[in-house]
């Protein structure tokens, strides 16, 4: 099982400067690798392999002294990222999607680098050591379980630094303490409606910060782009976005932990969110509630807790009567389910959650 642990770093000013220089060196290698592959195809119609770009990297390090200040495997990993970007590009072409060609990274657009095998060490719960940077203060607030495979250092837009350790561990979760099952219908008016009749209100994180964000953006617009005042205002805007993101993540993790601890079987609709956000009237609200984040977080926690997460076909879950199975046509504005056959009248989302639970249990036999 692969797990990731994220910890906050507190580098000194000198270390922040070296970390920033490392990111710039990685950005240079990334752009040069993209340019190399792009030129090769445009001139000779040849696709360069990762092995070929690695050989070019050796020559680049001889010509550019700054690259010698970066761990060799970090630079190799940058070229692995380019290779993965090209593989994803060709995969999208084959599947008929609209592909986006790998882009060059502008200044400030490259924000992380990875030690794929070595060059890093956890000294204690307050310090980590990374090659070419030195010992950095860190807050290791929980123990790292398993064999650490990679370490990724990332700079966030607000200037905060974090390290993520990816580990591989042999985890044998105990059987779940109960077989309770729950069906969950996610929505916008209510964040989630459960098949036991309870519901979770929508926190609407973006709406909570709309006024603060608009005020900060208005202030930023008064300055010339790139000026000291503009950069200072930009930091305020970035902090608002970060605060919204942190609240969303905190809510999602707490809710997912509660569901996984109390239910052995959790059933959701397998929603096509990519198509749903094409609706211009609902796109902002759909992106704010982050249904996919909730489902993915529950899946990750369920794997360690021996819970089962089931995704069912969403077709007719809202239209079908949960008592008699009759299809009752509704528009999106209709919030009450009324069945003319069995006279069942209940909340539309509650009715859907019962249908979702039934389909999930049927799929499990």
């Amino acid at each position: 099982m692969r797990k990731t642990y994220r910890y906050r770093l507190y580098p000194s000013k000198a270390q922040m400067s070296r970390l920033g220089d490392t990111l710039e060196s990685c950005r240079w290698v990334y752009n040069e690798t993209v340019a190399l592959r792009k030129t090769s195809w445009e001139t000779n119609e040849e696709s360069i392999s990762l092995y070929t770009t690695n050989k070019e990297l050796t020559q680049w390090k001889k010509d550019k002294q700054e690259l010698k200040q970066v761990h060799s495997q970090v630079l190799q990993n940058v070229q692995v990222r380019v290779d993965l970007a090209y593989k994803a590009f060709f995969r999208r072409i084959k599947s008929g999607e609209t592909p986006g060609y790998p882009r060059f990274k502008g200044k400030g657009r490259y924000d992380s680098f990875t030690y794929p095998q070595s060059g890093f060490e956890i000294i204690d719960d307050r310090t980590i050591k990374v090659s070419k940077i030195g010992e950095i203060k860190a807050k290791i607030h929980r123990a790292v379980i398993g064999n650490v495979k990679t370490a990724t250092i990332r700079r966030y837009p607000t200037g905060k630094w974090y390290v993520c350790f990816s580990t591989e561990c042999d985890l044998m979760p105990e059987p779940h303490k109960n077989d309770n099952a729950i069906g969950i219908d996610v929505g916008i008016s209510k964040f989630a409606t459960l098949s036991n009749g309870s519901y979770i209100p929508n926190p609407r994180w973006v709406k909570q910060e709309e006024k603060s964000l608009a005020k900060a953006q208005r202030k930023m617009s008064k300055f010339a782009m790139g000026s000291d005042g503009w950069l200072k205002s930009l930091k305020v805007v970035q902090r608002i976005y970060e605060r919204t993101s942190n609240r969303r993540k905190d809510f999602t993790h707490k809710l997912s932990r509660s569901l996984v601890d109390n239910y052995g079987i959790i059933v959701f609709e397998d929603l096509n969110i990519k198509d749903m956000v094409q609706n211009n009237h609902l796109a902002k609200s759909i992106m704010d509630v982050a249904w996919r984040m909730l489902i993915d977080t529950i899946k990750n926690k369920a794997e360690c807790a021996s819970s089962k997460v089931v995704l069912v076909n969403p077709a007719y879950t809202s239209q079908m009567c949960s008592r008699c199975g009759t299809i009752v046509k509704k528009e999106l504005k209709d919030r009450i389910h009324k069945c003319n056959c069995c006279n069942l009248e209940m909340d539309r989302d509650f009715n859907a959650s019962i249908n979702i639970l039934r389909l999930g249990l049927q799929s499990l036999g």
Side-chain angles (χ1 to χ4, degrees):
M1 183 183 294
R2 294 297 289 261
K3 297 188 71 174
T4 301
Y5 297 86
R6 189 184 73 154
Y7 305 104
R8 175 81 182 272
L9 296 178
Y10 298 91
S12 64
K13 289 185 177 180
Q15 289 173 337
M16 286 178 67
S17 178
R18 289 200 292 272
L19 289 169
D21 292 342
T22 300
L23 285 177
E24 280 302 298
S25 296
C26 291
R27 184 176 73 89
W28 187 89
V29 171
Y30 188 98
N31 289 340
E32 285 296 308
T33 306
V34 171
L36 179 67
R37 298 186 66 151
K38 188 173 184 289
T39 304
S40 175
W41 179 259
E42 290 175 349
T43 56
N44 304 319
E45 293 190 357
E46 291 181 357
S47 182
I48 296 179
S49 66
L50 176 61
Y51 176 75
T52 305
T53 59
N54 284 341
K55 288 197 295 184
E56 289 291 330
L57 178 61
T58 304
Q59 183 60 42
W60 293 345
K61 291 174 72 174
K62 293 178 181 178
D63 299 336
K64 193 175 176 65
Q65 294 298 314
E66 293 91 332
L67 299 182
K68 294 182 180 179
Q69 304 302 316
V70 183
H71 193 273
S72 59
Q73 290 188 353
V74 170
L75 297 178
Q76 291 171 3
N77 179 262
V78 173
Q79 296 190 320
V80 170
R81 294 185 184 189
V82 176
D83 190 58
L84 291 173
Y86 272 91
K87 287 179 179 177
F89 170 71
F90 292 125
R91 185 180 65 249
R92 287 193 292 270
I93 291 177
K94 289 181 180 179
S95 63
E97 299 178 40
T98 303
Y101 193 83
R103 301 179 183 179
F104 294 102
K105 300 289 186 180
K107 188 174 182 179
R109 302 293 292 179
Y110 200 93
D111 58 8
S112 69
F113 58 92
T114 300
Y115 293 87
Q117 290 178 324
S118 60
F120 58 91
E121 181 185 359
I122 301 174
I123 304 298
D124 52 40
D125 61 352
R126 294 182 180 180
T127 313
I128 68 165
K129 184 177 181 180
V130 291
S131 177
K132 306 291 186 178
I133 306 295
E135 295 185 0
I136 306 176
K137 290 183 179 179
K139 188 173 182 179
I140 313 296
H141 56 274
R142 57 174 176 163
V144 178
I145 300 174
N147 184 20
V148 181
K149 292 293 185 180
T150 67
T152 299
I153 295 178
R154 182 181 177 189
R155 179 182 63 195
Y156 278 65
T158 52
K160 297 177 182 177
W161 291 87
Y162 288 86
V163 60
C164 293
F165 295 109
S166 178
T167 68
E168 200 172 67
C169 53
D170 297 325
L171 202 60
M172 297 297 293
E174 298 180 358
H176 200 276
K177 58 186 178 182
N178 63 58
D179 291 328
N180 295 340
I182 194 75
I184 302 176
D185 178 63
V186 292
I188 295 176
S189 59
K190 303 184 187 72
F191 179 83
T193 303
L194 282 59
S195 57
N196 60 8
S198 61
Y199 71 91
I200 300 162
N202 187 352
R204 301 185 186 276
W205 300 280
V206 171
K207 192 171 183 178
Q208 290 181 30
E209 298 286 357
E210 272 184 336
K211 290 184 179 179
S212 299
L213 181 61
K215 182 179 178 180
Q217 288 176 331
R218 282 196 302 270
K219 186 175 181 180
M220 186 174 68
S221 67
K222 296 177 181 178
F223 298 99
M225 184 177 293
S227 64
D228 291 341
W230 186 86
L231 291 173
K232 186 176 180 180
S233 300
L234 177 63
K235 287 291 183 184
V236 177
V237 173
Q238 289 170 335
R239 278 197 295 269
I240 293 172
Y241 277 118
E242 183 184 62
R243 185 164 65 235
T244 303
S245 176
N246 288 341
R247 286 177 175 176
R248 185 182 291 113
K249 289 177 183 177
D250 179 69
F251 175 87
T252 301
H253 277 284
K254 288 178 178 177
L255 175 59
S256 59
R257 171 51 59 197
S258 174
L259 291 171
V260 168
D261 286 346
N262 290 291
Y263 298 99
I265 302 171
I266 304 170
V267 189
F268 287 97
E269 292 176 302
D270 189 10
L271 297 172
N272 189 344
I273 299 173
K274 186 176 180 179
D275 286 346
M276 294 175 71
V277 296
Q278 300 304 315
N279 185 331
N280 294 331
H281 299 288
L282 298 176
K284 181 179 178 181
S285 297
I286 291 173
M287 296 299 290
D288 185 29
V289 289
W291 299 325
R292 182 55 57 185
M293 180 189 290
L294 174 67
I295 295 172
D296 289 343
T297 307
I298 288 179
K299 280 183 177 179
N300 294 336
K301 287 179 167 55
E303 190 173 353
C304 298
S306 294
S307 293
K308 294 179 181 178
V309 178
V310 184
L311 301 180
V312 300
N313 189 340
Y316 300 108
T317 52
S318 295
Q319 310 288 343
M320 184 180 294
C321 178
S322 58
R323 178 184 291 173
C324 66
T326 303
I327 301 297
V328 182
K329 295 291 183 181
K330 306 180 189 69
E331 295 183 8
L332 192 59
K333 64 181 180 180
D334 299 326
R335 307 313 305 169
I336 301 297
H337 168 79
K338 295 180 180 180
C339 180
N340 295 325
C341 294
C342 64
N343 297 322
L344 177 65
E345 184 173 336
M346 63 194 313
D347 181 79
R348 169 199 179 114
D349 297 333
F350 183 28
N351 176 73
S353 65
I354 296 173
N355 287 327
I356 291 168
L357 175 60
R358 176 179 52 80
L359 292 172
L361 295 178
Q362 285 178 355
S363 66
L364 293 175

